[in-house]
Amino acid sequence: MLYQSTRGKEYTANAPRAILDGLAPDGGLYMIPDFSGIRLDLHTLLEKNTVEMAAEIIQSLMPDFSISEMRELCRRAYEGKFETPDLTPLAKVGDRFILELFHGPTSAFKDVALSMLPQLMTAAREKVGLKEEIVILTATSGDTGKAALEGFHDVPGVRIIVFYPNGGVSPVQRAQMVTQTGNNVDVIAVNGNFDDAQTGVKTAFQKAAAGALKPEDGAVLSSANSINIGRLAPQIVYYFKAYADLLHAGEIRFGEPVTYVVPTGNFGDILAGYFAKKMGLPVGKLVCASNKNKVLTDFFETGRYDRRREFYKTTSPSMDILVSSNLERLLYMAANGDTEQIAALMNQLSKQGYYDVPESMRNKLAAEFSAGWCDDARAAEMIGKVWKQYGYLMDPHTAVAWAVSEDYCADHPAEKTVVLSTASPFKFPSAVLEAIGETPDADPFRCLNQMAEITGLPVPRGLENACKAKVLHTAVVEKDSVADYALQKARKR
Ligand SMILES: *Cc1c(COP(=O)(O)O)cnc(C)c1O
């Protein structure tokens, strides 16, 4: 199977190549050309344990790897790395279910994908026979950075460079990143927001492709952001796993559609849910939940994507995004693979800051997606309410999705609904403590223990360690220097 760039028919790549390259040479994203050829036997798949399930699902999208190879990669990625052997447990909370994606080493859902990506990349490197060093460039809104560092540190043949918005991540998130050990890691603060960091990284890729990286530099760039298809594929798995859990708990009949509400930023997580649906999982609506940066809510409502708006810093920083890269993949599917149309829309977005999709495409999307948003005050209210009513503690990202699910479920009471929980509440202790009516300690790190004492929940070990460890990374760059800084680092051997 050859993946296809969303922006040009002439750019195709097999799975190992697509994983190594991240972006297609024309700036497009690699896409599965056609899901109809993918055959999964849902009955047997849903009976498998998570690691086996992961191997089967990911292999079906990457047939360049054999199933036994993929099983080995999944085992290496996951076994013993998560707090729970089934990786992503499902909790019943009131009339809904919460899919806990945060039991990995950095307490964020990105661990699910970023535990697997280094395995895929190392295997891809072998398959392709690549000699150069792979330099992973990553822009992070908070969680990707640490999860990527955790996955890639000390992996032979790989270097990882992470850019995060200065002041735009939580103190705990920052501590996790700037204390990262490893002889192949760089962590840099950018004076700008996440979109600035992401733009800088994209520019570095364009410059490298245009000749800024020479063969004698001995380095090739790749990405750990969800623009990399190797990031998306592992995320499909937990949609199946949650469905299997509902089935085994007798909550649904086989074949009954399930609604998933997804706290959304770059549109990777929810897109993985759409892939799951395309691969035969009975998914009902996919509900896209945004914070006050509600560019996606407006898009699904009006058909216009418009990034020309104020950027808000919220208590759910991993969703503070105005350019949701993976939406491009959804548009490609909705346009039936019309790459010219997608290239034109993306060009307009970058030049004019907005685009409109045709009415027909908007209706197509509306049949599969719903969208809503919630501000910080309402998210906090949700954390307090769910804690009081059910004794369940949510982080602010999950709370945004919960709020949106309240509205959705009020209109669709009969649908079984799963809310995806993307971070441990311990990653955002001050906001969570305030929301449950406590006064958070002025020291964000003492807050962790405070929260543990008040709630009786244990502090995740990775977070506890990050707060005690030595700061190793202090570099700061201006937003316009991100690309050149990255290239210079990549060249330096
Ligand atoms: C990354 C992230 C999101 C957004 O996921 P996307 O795939 O970018 O849409 C939501 N919540 C948390 C905690 C995250 O880290």
Side-chain angles (χ1 to χ4, degrees):
M1 176 165 50
L2 286 181
Y3 297 151
Q4 154 80 61
S5 166
T6 47
R7 297 190 194 177
K9 287 259 179 282
E10 58 278 36
Y11 295 107
T12 57
N14 65 9
R17 195 73 253 171
I19 290 165
L20 291 171
D21 289 352
L23 271 181
D26 57 351
L29 308 184
Y30 282 118
M31 258 309 278
I32 291 107
D34 179 13
F35 281 90
S36 65
I38 294 162
R39 293 268 167 278
L40 292 168
D41 177 6
L42 200 54
H43 273 288
T44 43
L45 187 65
L46 295 177
E47 296 305 318
K48 300 202 152 135
N49 70 37
T50 317
V51 174
E52 287 287 317
M53 203 186 269
E56 194 145 320
I57 291 169
I58 301 170
Q59 195 271 338
S60 75
L61 295 174
M62 303 182 175
D64 310 79
F65 297 89
S66 71
I67 184 71
S68 62
E69 265 179 303
M70 194 57 83
R71 253 185 223 126
E72 182 55 30
L73 297 180
C74 289
R75 271 191 216 122
R76 276 192 227 147
Y78 293 127
E79 278 182 5
K81 304 273 176 67
F82 280 58
E83 286 169 356
T84 52
D86 62 349
L87 310 187
T88 54
L90 193 67
K92 185 162 189 174
V93 179
D95 61 350
R96 272 157 269 175
F97 298 85
I98 293 190
L99 174 54
E100 296 183 346
L101 303 176
F102 55 79
H103 293 290
T106 79
S107 306
F109 97 97
K110 293 186 172 68
D111 287 326
V112 177
L114 284 165
S115 301
M116 188 62 194
L117 186 62
Q119 302 298 335
L120 288 171
M121 215 169 252
T122 309
R125 181 191 165 85
E126 264 172 45
K127 272 206 195 303
V128 171
L130 188 76
K131 296 283 182 297
E132 286 92 347
E133 185 174 50
I134 302 171
V135 179
I136 311 276
L137 294 188
T138 293
T140 183
S141 56
D143 287 339
T144 300
K146 179 60 183 182
L149 289 164
E150 188 64 37
F152 281 105
H153 76 88
D154 299 315
V155 172
V158 180
R159 246 182 111 77
I160 168 147
I161 307 177
V162 171
F163 294 94
Y164 70 93
N166 206 1
V169 301
S170 83
V172 176
Q173 286 177 318
R174 185 177 169 279
Q176 283 184 292
M177 289 189 278
V178 297
T179 59
Q180 180 66 48
T181 58
N183 55 17
N184 62 341
V185 303
D186 282 294
V187 180
I188 301 113
V190 177
N191 283 331
N193 60 34
F194 168 72
D195 291 312
D196 297 323
Q198 182 164 252
T199 301
V201 164
K202 283 186 181 169
T203 306
F205 276 96
Q206 282 156 10
K207 287 190 170 183
L213 271 190
K214 306 224 166 2
E216 60 268 28
D217 292 322
V220 292
L221 300 187
S222 190
S223 163
N225 282 87
S226 53
I227 53 172
N228 194 316
I229 195 79
R231 262 282 298 273
L232 281 179
Q235 296 187 353
I236 300 167
V237 178
Y238 46 73
Y239 287 89
F240 281 88
K241 179 60 171 53
Y243 194 90
D245 285 348
L246 288 172
L247 196 62
H248 295 142
E251 295 283 354
I252 53 169
R253 286 166 289 104
F254 184 86
E256 184 178 338
V258 170
T259 293
Y260 294 85
V261 186
V262 188
T264 297
N266 222 2
F267 211 76
D269 197 3
I270 192 167
L271 185 71
Y274 191 55
F275 285 5
K277 186 172 188 175
K278 289 283 172 190
M279 293 168 78
L281 188 71
V283 173
K285 273 273 165 57
L286 286 157
V287 184
C288 175
S290 299
N291 63 25
K292 200 173 175 187
N293 296 296
K294 62 182 187 63
V295 60
L296 286 165
T297 316
D298 294 345
F299 170 69
F300 282 109
E301 268 168 22
T302 66
R304 168 169 286 198
Y305 194 96
D306 194 342
R307 67 168 163 82
R308 300 167 302 173
R309 60 178 71 210
E310 193 174 336
F311 175 86
Y312 299 102
K313 281 190 183 180
T314 72
T315 52
S316 43
S318 298
M319 297 157 66
D320 290 348
I321 290 178
L322 293 182
V323 180
S324 298
S325 301
N326 273 296
L327 187 63
E328 182 172 343
R329 287 190 164 107
L330 178 64
L331 298 180
Y332 170 87
M333 292 162 91
N336 298 319
D338 181 347
T339 52
E340 270 173 44
Q341 186 182 4
I342 302 308
L345 291 176
M346 292 305 129
N347 190 33
Q348 193 187 349
L349 180 65
S350 99
K351 294 228 164 75
Q352 287 163 276
Y354 77 99
Y355 60 77
D356 293 294
V357 299
E359 184 71 24
S360 59
M361 191 190 277
R362 198 181 128 204
N363 292 338
K364 218 165 168 180
L365 295 177
E368 318 242 32
F369 290 84
S370 172
W373 70 285
C374 137
D375 64 13
D376 284 356
R378 184 151 181 242
E381 191 194 312
M382 291 298 136
I383 295 172
K385 184 175 141 181
V386 170
W387 172 246
K388 214 186 214 157
Q389 264 184 6
Y390 307 112
Y392 188 89
L393 196 65
M394 298 185 300
D395 100 289
H397 301 76
T398 311
V400 167
W402 185 273
V404 171
S405 82
E406 293 261 290
D407 303 336
Y408 184 85
C409 292
D411 294 338
H412 307 83
E415 291 178 22
K416 277 282 182 296
T417 302
V418 172
V419 175
L420 275 63
S421 176
T422 46
S424 158
F426 283 93
K427 284 198 97 165
F428 306 94
S430 322
V432 172
L433 279 169
E434 250 170 58
I436 61 171
E438 303 286 341
T439 308
D441 195 296
D443 179 327
F445 305 122
R446 273 201 300 256
C447 278
L448 289 177
N449 292 326
Q450 186 189 2
M451 198 156 110
E453 276 161 29
I454 290 168
T455 62
L457 298 166
V459 180
R461 203 178 321 127
L463 297 182
E464 200 166 10
N465 294 344
C467 298
K468 290 190 206 133
K470 192 164 157 242
V471 172
L472 301 171
H473 305 275
T474 52
V476 182
V477 298
E478 296 310 314
K479 61 182 182 185
D480 296 328
S481 317
V482 169
D484 290 336
Y485 189 94
L487 289 166
Q488 184 205 329
K489 279 275 175 196
R491 279 184 215 113
K492 210 161 76 187
R493 305 269 292 159

